[in-house]
Amino acid sequence: MLVLRFLNVVAPAYFLCISCVTFVLQLFLFIPSMFKDPSATPLFCSSALLHGALFLFLSANALGNYILVIQNTPEDLSNGMNWVGGGGGGADGVAPDWPDGSCPPGSALPNTHFCRLCARVTQRHDHHCFFTGNCIGSRNMRNFVMFCLYTALACLDSLVAGVAYISTVLSTSFANPLAFLTLLPQSISQFFSGALLSSEMFVILMLYLWLGIGLACAGFCCHQMLLILRGQTRYQVRKGVAARARPWKKNLEEVFGKRWLLGLLIPVFNVGSDYHRQKEK
């Protein structure tokens, strides 16, 4: 449990550090290198300006939804719940620490889960995200999916810009797909032999880090969308709970609401979903 609490602190710090490094490299290295020949194209339609606008759009959505995932914390349902054996929870108002981390049979609210890290009972619990230090449930699921999507796209954008920068600085061609696979071992050899600068080596390492983070976030996003379409959560899949028999459009509307296009373009609260409509009644 101590290791999980430590990871709950380190993972958000790691994400914020990677975000800061990415911002610095993009704004002070990659984008300025694209402005070397401003006479080639008009400034308002230059590749550097378009790339900078795209990167800021992707980053704003990724960080905005990241903040909303944390701010839109799942509601604690442990207070007032009737647990087996009587009482409304522990002496501190928190649900008991059950061995499997779930709510006991006979709890007042079915389909809930007790997270020992957050010390709260959440509705339609999916999983605990260490990178946000928060539980993902019915209240912030849409923001989490958007966070994964835009983080993957921002990493892809940074990867393409970094490859373009490295190909220019080192005069390396990436026409052969194997060139990227052999880039890291060759760069390590050149770095220790003194033929490669430390700043260039750092950018090459970030290329592989962006690739790994982007693929992981894309996988999370696709897997989460599949579960949403089936009307399941990751916790329910682990426990063997069957998917709800209802149309996939209804499952999408429950998470994304009817105004899903607004949340796709800008980071907003999960307004218009079934969860908020139930809260307003």
Side-chain angles (χ1 to χ4, degrees):
M1 191 63 184
L2 183 61
V3 176
L4 295 179
R5 293 188 183 277
F6 177 74
L7 184 62
N8 208 39
V9 175
V10 173
Y14 170 78
F15 170 77
L16 294 177
C17 288
I18 294 297
S19 300
C20 292
V21 171
T22 302
F23 264 99
V24 171
L25 290 177
Q26 284 272 17
L27 299 181
F28 297 101
L29 191 62
F30 297 161
I31 295 178
S33 66
M34 300 178 185
F35 278 105
K36 287 186 176 180
D37 189 15
S39 60
T41 56
L43 181 61
F44 65 89
C45 63
S46 65
S47 59
L49 189 62
L50 295 177
H51 171 77
L54 176 62
F55 172 72
L56 291 178
F57 171 75
L58 297 176
S59 301
N61 275 276
L63 293 177
N65 282 287
Y66 178 82
I67 294 173
L68 290 179
V69 169
I70 300 175
Q71 187 176 357
N72 213 12
T73 303
E75 184 180 7
D76 187 6
L77 303 176
S78 61
N79 296 325
M81 292 183 67
N82 296 320
W83 305 99
V84 173
D92 55 354
V94 177
D97 190 2
W98 299 95
D100 62 348
S102 63
C103 294
S107 61
L109 293 175
N111 199 21
T112 54
H113 171 77
F114 175 68
C115 177
R116 290 177 291 179
L117 288 173
C118 296
R120 64 166 57 93
V121 178
T122 58
Q123 185 179 13
R124 286 194 63 78
H125 175 89
D126 189 84
H127 69 284
H128 182 90
C129 177
F130 289 100
F131 285 99
T132 61
N134 202 4
C135 279
I136 307 300
S138 58
R139 195 175 182 183
N140 55 3
M141 176 61 71
R142 199 268 299 273
N143 295 121
F144 175 75
V145 174
M146 291 295 100
F147 161 67
C148 291
L149 173 63
Y150 280 105
T151 299
L153 293 178
C155 287
L156 176 62
D157 177 84
S158 300
L159 177 63
V160 172
V163 167
Y165 173 80
I166 289 297
S167 63
T168 302
V169 172
L170 302 182
S171 300
T172 304
S173 175
F174 290 93
N176 186 357
L178 296 178
F180 186 80
L181 299 177
T182 59
L183 176 63
L184 183 60
Q186 292 178 356
S187 301
I188 293 176
S189 175
Q190 295 176 2
F191 174 73
F192 284 106
S193 64
L196 191 66
L197 297 177
S198 58
S199 60
E200 297 169 348
M201 185 65 206
F202 180 75
V203 172
I204 292 174
L205 292 176
M206 288 299 300
L207 294 181
Y208 290 90
L209 189 60
W210 287 323
L211 177 63
I213 296 176
L215 290 177
C217 288
F220 262 110
C221 184
C222 294
H223 178 62
Q224 208 68 56
M225 285 300 302
L226 179 61
L227 292 178
I228 292 174
L229 290 172
R230 295 171 57 185
Q232 282 183 306
T233 63
R234 197 173 307 174
Y235 175 75
Q236 291 175 336
V237 172
R238 290 204 317 267
K239 294 299 180 180
V241 179
R244 290 180 293 181
R246 66 176 188 175
W248 60 269
K249 291 183 179 180
K250 196 71 176 178
N251 295 329
L252 275 180
E253 184 179 335
E254 181 184 29
V255 175
F256 292 93
K258 293 184 177 180
R259 289 175 285 179
W260 58 270
L261 185 59
L262 180 63
L264 188 63
L265 298 177
I266 58 176
V268 294
F269 279 112
N270 200 10
V271 178
S273 66
D274 284 359
Y275 172 82
H276 281 80
R277 284 195 291 268
Q278 292 172 5
K279 293 287 291 181
E280 292 172 357
K281 290 181 179 180

PDB file of all heavy atoms in Angstrom, residues 134-162:
ATOM      1  N   ASN A 134      -6.135  10.160  -9.072  1.00  0.00           N
ATOM      2  CA  ASN A 134      -7.570  10.253  -8.841  1.00  0.00           C
ATOM      3  C   ASN A 134      -8.269   9.029  -9.405  1.00  0.00           C
ATOM      4  O   ASN A 134      -7.745   8.349 -10.296  1.00  0.00           O
ATOM      5  CB  ASN A 134      -8.125  11.515  -9.518  1.00  0.00           C
ATOM      6  CG  ASN A 134      -9.422  11.976  -8.918  1.00  0.00           C
ATOM      7  OD1 ASN A 134      -9.902  11.407  -7.943  1.00  0.00           O
ATOM      8  ND2 ASN A 134     -10.015  13.006  -9.489  1.00  0.00           N
ATOM      9  N   CYS A 135      -9.460   8.750  -8.885  1.00  0.00           N
ATOM     10  CA  CYS A 135     -10.280   7.663  -9.414  1.00  0.00           C
ATOM     11  C   CYS A 135     -11.011   8.139 -10.666  1.00  0.00           C
ATOM     12  O   CYS A 135     -11.390   9.303 -10.778  1.00  0.00           O
ATOM     13  CB  CYS A 135     -11.290   7.185  -8.369  1.00  0.00           C
ATOM     14  SG  CYS A 135     -10.604   6.039  -7.162  1.00  0.00           S
ATOM     15  N   ILE A 136     -11.218   7.214 -11.593  1.00  0.00           N
ATOM     16  CA  ILE A 136     -11.973   7.495 -12.812  1.00  0.00           C
ATOM     17  C   ILE A 136     -13.313   6.795 -12.688  1.00  0.00           C
ATOM     18  O   ILE A 136     -13.375   5.571 -12.522  1.00  0.00           O
ATOM     19  CB  ILE A 136     -11.232   6.999 -14.063  1.00  0.00           C
ATOM     20  CG1 ILE A 136      -9.810   7.545 -14.088  1.00  0.00           C
ATOM     21  CG2 ILE A 136     -11.988   7.399 -15.317  1.00  0.00           C
ATOM     22  CD1 ILE A 136      -9.718   9.050 -14.099  1.00  0.00           C
ATOM     23  N   GLY A 137     -14.376   7.591 -12.738  1.00  0.00           N
ATOM     24  CA  GLY A 137     -15.723   7.051 -12.598  1.00  0.00           C
ATOM     25  C   GLY A 137     -16.687   7.735 -13.541  1.00  0.00           C
ATOM     26  O   GLY A 137     -16.294   8.346 -14.541  1.00  0.00           O
ATOM     27  N   SER A 138     -17.966   7.672 -13.208  1.00  0.00           N
ATOM     28  CA  SER A 138     -18.990   8.222 -14.091  1.00  0.00           C
ATOM     29  C   SER A 138     -18.896   9.742 -14.216  1.00  0.00           C
ATOM     30  O   SER A 138     -19.347  10.316 -15.202  1.00  0.00           O
ATOM     31  CB  SER A 138     -20.392   7.849 -13.568  1.00  0.00           C
ATOM     32  OG  SER A 138     -20.568   8.327 -12.245  1.00  0.00           O
ATOM     33  N   ARG A 139     -18.280  10.383 -13.238  1.00  0.00           N
ATOM     34  CA  ARG A 139     -18.255  11.842 -13.233  1.00  0.00           C
ATOM     35  C   ARG A 139     -17.160  12.443 -14.113  1.00  0.00           C
ATOM     36  O   ARG A 139     -17.325  13.535 -14.666  1.00  0.00           O
ATOM     37  CB  ARG A 139     -18.102  12.334 -11.800  1.00  0.00           C
ATOM     38  CG  ARG A 139     -18.404  13.799 -11.604  1.00  0.00           C
ATOM     39  CD  ARG A 139     -18.357  14.171 -10.135  1.00  0.00           C
ATOM     40  NE  ARG A 139     -18.687  15.560  -9.914  1.00  0.00           N
ATOM     41  CZ  ARG A 139     -18.662  16.157  -8.736  1.00  0.00           C
ATOM     42  NH1 ARG A 139     -18.322  15.459  -7.661  1.00  0.00           N
ATOM     43  NH2 ARG A 139     -18.975  17.413  -8.602  1.00  0.00           N
ATOM     44  N   ASN A 140     -16.042  11.749 -14.271  1.00  0.00           N
ATOM     45  CA  ASN A 140     -14.925  12.314 -15.039  1.00  0.00           C
ATOM     46  C   ASN A 140     -14.429  11.385 -16.136  1.00  0.00           C
ATOM     47  O   ASN A 140     -13.306  11.536 -16.613  1.00  0.00           O
ATOM     48  CB  ASN A 140     -13.763  12.656 -14.108  1.00  0.00           C
ATOM     49  CG  ASN A 140     -13.314  11.462 -13.268  1.00  0.00           C
ATOM     50  OD1 ASN A 140     -13.822  10.355 -13.415  1.00  0.00           O
ATOM     51  ND2 ASN A 140     -12.362  11.701 -12.386  1.00  0.00           N
ATOM     52  N   MET A 141     -15.252  10.414 -16.543  1.00  0.00           N
ATOM     53  CA  MET A 141     -14.834   9.472 -17.576  1.00  0.00           C
ATOM     54  C   MET A 141     -14.588  10.163 -18.907  1.00  0.00           C
ATOM     55  O   MET A 141     -13.593   9.889 -19.597  1.00  0.00           O
ATOM     56  CB  MET A 141     -15.900   8.368 -17.740  1.00  0.00           C
ATOM     57  CG  MET A 141     -15.612   7.391 -18.869  1.00  0.00           C
ATOM     58  SD  MET A 141     -14.084   6.494 -18.640  1.00  0.00           S
ATOM     59  CE  MET A 141     -14.561   5.424 -17.285  1.00  0.00           C
ATOM     60  N   ARG A 142     -15.496  11.061 -19.300  1.00  0.00           N
ATOM     61  CA  ARG A 142     -15.344  11.741 -20.592  1.00  0.00           C
ATOM     62  C   ARG A 142     -14.047  12.548 -20.641  1.00  0.00           C
ATOM     63  O   ARG A 142     -13.307  12.506 -21.637  1.00  0.00           O
ATOM     64  CB  ARG A 142     -16.556  12.649 -20.835  1.00  0.00           C
ATOM     65  CG  ARG A 142     -16.769  13.069 -22.293  1.00  0.00           C
ATOM     66  CD  ARG A 142     -16.063  14.398 -22.617  1.00  0.00           C
ATOM     67  NE  ARG A 142     -16.540  15.486 -21.823  1.00  0.00           N
ATOM     68  CZ  ARG A 142     -17.598  16.249 -22.124  1.00  0.00           C
ATOM     69  NH1 ARG A 142     -18.321  15.965 -23.182  1.00  0.00           N
ATOM     70  NH2 ARG A 142     -17.921  17.264 -21.352  1.00  0.00           N
ATOM     71  N   ASN A 143     -13.735  13.272 -19.555  1.00  0.00           N
ATOM     72  CA  ASN A 143     -12.504  14.055 -19.521  1.00  0.00           C
ATOM     73  C   ASN A 143     -11.266  13.165 -19.568  1.00  0.00           C
ATOM     74  O   ASN A 143     -10.249  13.539 -20.164  1.00  0.00           O
ATOM     75  CB  ASN A 143     -12.461  14.921 -18.265  1.00  0.00           C
ATOM     76  CG  ASN A 143     -13.553  15.976 -18.241  1.00  0.00           C
ATOM     77  OD1 ASN A 143     -14.375  16.015 -17.337  1.00  0.00           O
ATOM     78  ND2 ASN A 143     -13.586  16.838 -19.256  1.00  0.00           N
ATOM     79  N   PHE A 144     -11.339  11.982 -18.961  1.00  0.00           N
ATOM     80  CA  PHE A 144     -10.200  11.066 -19.003  1.00  0.00           C
ATOM     81  C   PHE A 144      -9.958  10.546 -20.419  1.00  0.00           C
ATOM     82  O   PHE A 144      -8.806  10.455 -20.867  1.00  0.00           O
ATOM     83  CB  PHE A 144     -10.441   9.892 -18.048  1.00  0.00           C
ATOM     84  CG  PHE A 144      -9.372   8.843 -18.103  1.00  0.00           C
ATOM     85  CD1 PHE A 144      -8.143   9.063 -17.511  1.00  0.00           C
ATOM     86  CD2 PHE A 144      -9.600   7.638 -18.759  1.00  0.00           C
ATOM     87  CE1 PHE A 144      -7.150   8.095 -17.567  1.00  0.00           C
ATOM     88  CE2 PHE A 144      -8.610   6.679 -18.821  1.00  0.00           C
ATOM     89  CZ  PHE A 144      -7.383   6.902 -18.225  1.00  0.00           C
ATOM     90  N   VAL A 145     -11.027  10.203 -21.135  1.00  0.00           N
ATOM     91  CA  VAL A 145     -10.883   9.727 -22.509  1.00  0.00           C
ATOM     92  C   VAL A 145     -10.293  10.831 -23.384  1.00  0.00           C
ATOM     93  O   VAL A 145      -9.394  10.584 -24.203  1.00  0.00           O
ATOM     94  CB  VAL A 145     -12.239   9.248 -23.058  1.00  0.00           C
ATOM     95  CG1 VAL A 145     -12.137   8.899 -24.538  1.00  0.00           C
ATOM     96  CG2 VAL A 145     -12.723   8.039 -22.277  1.00  0.00           C
ATOM     97  N   MET A 146     -10.777  12.065 -23.221  1.00  0.00           N
ATOM     98  CA  MET A 146     -10.248  13.181 -23.995  1.00  0.00           C
ATOM     99  C   MET A 146      -8.797  13.478 -23.632  1.00  0.00           C
ATOM    100  O   MET A 146      -7.985  13.843 -24.485  1.00  0.00           O
ATOM    101  CB  MET A 146     -11.104  14.433 -23.758  1.00  0.00           C
ATOM    102  CG  MET A 146     -12.506  14.376 -24.342  1.00  0.00           C
ATOM    103  SD  MET A 146     -12.515  14.299 -26.160  1.00  0.00           S
ATOM    104  CE  MET A 146     -12.777  12.535 -26.421  1.00  0.00           C
ATOM    105  N   PHE A 147      -8.451  13.306 -22.364  1.00  0.00           N
ATOM    106  CA  PHE A 147      -7.067  13.493 -21.928  1.00  0.00           C
ATOM    107  C   PHE A 147      -6.148  12.483 -22.614  1.00  0.00           C
ATOM    108  O   PHE A 147      -5.075  12.841 -23.119  1.00  0.00           O
ATOM    109  CB  PHE A 147      -6.985  13.352 -20.403  1.00  0.00           C
ATOM    110  CG  PHE A 147      -5.609  13.083 -19.887  1.00  0.00           C
ATOM    111  CD1 PHE A 147      -4.617  14.042 -19.978  1.00  0.00           C
ATOM    112  CD2 PHE A 147      -5.299  11.857 -19.306  1.00  0.00           C
ATOM    113  CE1 PHE A 147      -3.336  13.789 -19.499  1.00  0.00           C
ATOM    114  CE2 PHE A 147      -4.034  11.596 -18.828  1.00  0.00           C
ATOM    115  CZ  PHE A 147      -3.047  12.555 -18.926  1.00  0.00           C
ATOM    116  N   CYS A 148      -6.552  11.225 -22.670  1.00  0.00           N
ATOM    117  CA  CYS A 148      -5.750  10.198 -23.337  1.00  0.00           C
ATOM    118  C   CYS A 148      -5.625  10.482 -24.829  1.00  0.00           C
ATOM    119  O   CYS A 148      -4.539  10.337 -25.418  1.00  0.00           O
ATOM    120  CB  CYS A 148      -6.364   8.820 -23.108  1.00  0.00           C
ATOM    121  SG  CYS A 148      -6.264   8.223 -21.413  1.00  0.00           S
ATOM    122  N   LEU A 149      -6.733  10.895 -25.456  1.00  0.00           N
ATOM    123  CA  LEU A 149      -6.728  11.155 -26.890  1.00  0.00           C
ATOM    124  C   LEU A 149      -5.776  12.294 -27.245  1.00  0.00           C
ATOM    125  O   LEU A 149      -4.904  12.154 -28.122  1.00  0.00           O
ATOM    126  CB  LEU A 149      -8.152  11.484 -27.358  1.00  0.00           C
ATOM    127  CG  LEU A 149      -8.293  11.949 -28.811  1.00  0.00           C
ATOM    128  CD1 LEU A 149      -7.865  10.862 -29.771  1.00  0.00           C
ATOM    129  CD2 LEU A 149      -9.727  12.390 -29.098  1.00  0.00           C
ATOM    130  N   TYR A 150      -5.903  13.428 -26.552  1.00  0.00           N
ATOM    131  CA  TYR A 150      -5.089  14.588 -26.911  1.00  0.00           C
ATOM    132  C   TYR A 150      -3.646  14.442 -26.454  1.00  0.00           C
ATOM    133  O   TYR A 150      -2.739  15.027 -27.064  1.00  0.00           O
ATOM    134  CB  TYR A 150      -5.710  15.860 -26.336  1.00  0.00           C
ATOM    135  CG  TYR A 150      -6.852  16.366 -27.185  1.00  0.00           C
ATOM    136  CD1 TYR A 150      -8.178  16.218 -26.788  1.00  0.00           C
ATOM    137  CD2 TYR A 150      -6.606  16.977 -28.416  1.00  0.00           C
ATOM    138  CE1 TYR A 150      -9.224  16.664 -27.575  1.00  0.00           C
ATOM    139  CE2 TYR A 150      -7.645  17.431 -29.205  1.00  0.00           C
ATOM    140  CZ  TYR A 150      -8.940  17.277 -28.797  1.00  0.00           C
ATOM    141  OH  TYR A 150      -9.974  17.719 -29.581  1.00  0.00           O
ATOM    142  N   THR A 151      -3.391  13.660 -25.409  1.00  0.00           N
ATOM    143  CA  THR A 151      -2.007  13.393 -25.029  1.00  0.00           C
ATOM    144  C   THR A 151      -1.322  12.547 -26.097  1.00  0.00           C
ATOM    145  O   THR A 151      -0.160  12.791 -26.454  1.00  0.00           O
ATOM    146  CB  THR A 151      -1.952  12.662 -23.673  1.00  0.00           C
ATOM    147  OG1 THR A 151      -2.550  13.490 -22.674  1.00  0.00           O
ATOM    148  CG2 THR A 151      -0.518  12.374 -23.275  1.00  0.00           C
ATOM    149  N   ALA A 152      -2.038  11.556 -26.632  1.00  0.00           N
ATOM    150  CA  ALA A 152      -1.483  10.742 -27.709  1.00  0.00           C
ATOM    151  C   ALA A 152      -1.201  11.591 -28.947  1.00  0.00           C
ATOM    152  O   ALA A 152      -0.144  11.453 -29.582  1.00  0.00           O
ATOM    153  CB  ALA A 152      -2.444   9.601 -28.043  1.00  0.00           C
ATOM    154  N   LEU A 153      -2.129  12.490 -29.300  1.00  0.00           N
ATOM    155  CA  LEU A 153      -1.929  13.347 -30.474  1.00  0.00           C
ATOM    156  C   LEU A 153      -0.800  14.342 -30.251  1.00  0.00           C
ATOM    157  O   LEU A 153      -0.018  14.623 -31.176  1.00  0.00           O
ATOM    158  CB  LEU A 153      -3.229  14.083 -30.795  1.00  0.00           C
ATOM    159  CG  LEU A 153      -4.397  13.215 -31.268  1.00  0.00           C
ATOM    160  CD1 LEU A 153      -5.645  14.062 -31.493  1.00  0.00           C
ATOM    161  CD2 LEU A 153      -4.041  12.453 -32.529  1.00  0.00           C
ATOM    162  N   ALA A 154      -0.679  14.889 -29.038  1.00  0.00           N
ATOM    163  CA  ALA A 154       0.415  15.822 -28.734  1.00  0.00           C
ATOM    164  C   ALA A 154       1.762  15.123 -28.799  1.00  0.00           C
ATOM    165  O   ALA A 154       2.751  15.696 -29.274  1.00  0.00           O
ATOM    166  CB  ALA A 154       0.197  16.448 -27.361  1.00  0.00           C
ATOM    167  N   CYS A 155       1.823  13.877 -28.336  1.00  0.00           N
ATOM    168  CA  CYS A 155       3.070  13.113 -28.418  1.00  0.00           C
ATOM    169  C   CYS A 155       3.426  12.815 -29.873  1.00  0.00           C
ATOM    170  O   CYS A 155       4.602  12.880 -30.258  1.00  0.00           O
ATOM    171  CB  CYS A 155       2.945  11.819 -27.624  1.00  0.00           C
ATOM    172  SG  CYS A 155       2.958  12.028 -25.830  1.00  0.00           S
ATOM    173  N   LEU A 156       2.421  12.484 -30.678  1.00  0.00           N
ATOM    174  CA  LEU A 156       2.665  12.245 -32.102  1.00  0.00           C
ATOM    175  C   LEU A 156       3.168  13.505 -32.792  1.00  0.00           C
ATOM    176  O   LEU A 156       4.104  13.457 -33.600  1.00  0.00           O
ATOM    177  CB  LEU A 156       1.378  11.746 -32.769  1.00  0.00           C
ATOM    178  CG  LEU A 156       1.441  11.544 -34.293  1.00  0.00           C
ATOM    179  CD1 LEU A 156       2.468  10.489 -34.652  1.00  0.00           C
ATOM    180  CD2 LEU A 156       0.070  11.161 -34.843  1.00  0.00           C
ATOM    181  N   ASP A 157       2.572  14.641 -32.464  1.00  0.00           N
ATOM    182  CA  ASP A 157       3.003  15.913 -33.039  1.00  0.00           C
ATOM    183  C   ASP A 157       4.449  16.220 -32.639  1.00  0.00           C
ATOM    184  O   ASP A 157       5.262  16.636 -33.472  1.00  0.00           O
ATOM    185  CB  ASP A 157       2.073  17.026 -32.561  1.00  0.00           C
ATOM    186  CG  ASP A 157       2.494  18.388 -33.067  1.00  0.00           C
ATOM    187  OD1 ASP A 157       2.127  18.746 -34.201  1.00  0.00           O
ATOM    188  OD2 ASP A 157       3.190  19.112 -32.318  1.00  0.00           O
ATOM    189  N   SER A 158       4.779  16.008 -31.372  1.00  0.00           N
ATOM    190  CA  SER A 158       6.150  16.258 -30.905  1.00  0.00           C
ATOM    191  C   SER A 158       7.131  15.281 -31.534  1.00  0.00           C
ATOM    192  O   SER A 158       8.276  15.647 -31.833  1.00  0.00           O
ATOM    193  CB  SER A 158       6.203  16.146 -29.379  1.00  0.00           C
ATOM    194  OG  SER A 158       5.339  17.081 -28.762  1.00  0.00           O
ATOM    195  N   LEU A 159       6.693  14.041 -31.748  1.00  0.00           N
ATOM    196  CA  LEU A 159       7.560  13.044 -32.380  1.00  0.00           C
ATOM    197  C   LEU A 159       7.904  13.439 -33.811  1.00  0.00           C
ATOM    198  O   LEU A 159       9.070  13.363 -34.225  1.00  0.00           O
ATOM    199  CB  LEU A 159       6.869  11.683 -32.346  1.00  0.00           C
ATOM    200  CG  LEU A 159       7.601  10.517 -33.023  1.00  0.00           C
ATOM    201  CD1 LEU A 159       8.926  10.243 -32.320  1.00  0.00           C
ATOM    202  CD2 LEU A 159       6.721   9.265 -33.022  1.00  0.00           C
ATOM    203  N   VAL A 160       6.897  13.879 -34.552  1.00  0.00           N
ATOM    204  CA  VAL A 160       7.135  14.290 -35.947  1.00  0.00           C
ATOM    205  C   VAL A 160       8.048  15.515 -35.995  1.00  0.00           C
ATOM    206  O   VAL A 160       8.986  15.578 -36.803  1.00  0.00           O
ATOM    207  CB  VAL A 160       5.790  14.580 -36.644  1.00  0.00           C
ATOM    208  CG1 VAL A 160       6.024  15.193 -38.027  1.00  0.00           C
ATOM    209  CG2 VAL A 160       4.969  13.304 -36.759  1.00  0.00           C
ATOM    210  N   ALA A 161       7.791  16.504 -35.117  1.00  0.00           N
ATOM    211  CA  ALA A 161       8.638  17.696 -35.089  1.00  0.00           C
ATOM    212  C   ALA A 161      10.059  17.357 -34.669  1.00  0.00           C
ATOM    213  O   ALA A 161      11.034  17.916 -35.206  1.00  0.00           O
ATOM    214  CB  ALA A 161       8.041  18.728 -34.138  1.00  0.00           C
ATOM    215  N   GLY A 162      10.211  16.435 -33.708  1.00  0.00           N
ATOM    216  CA  GLY A 162      11.547  16.039 -33.269  1.00  0.00           C
ATOM    217  C   GLY A 162      12.310  15.295 -34.339  1.00  0.00           C
ATOM    218  O   GLY A 162      13.527  15.501 -34.506  1.00  0.00           O
TER     219      GLY A 162
END
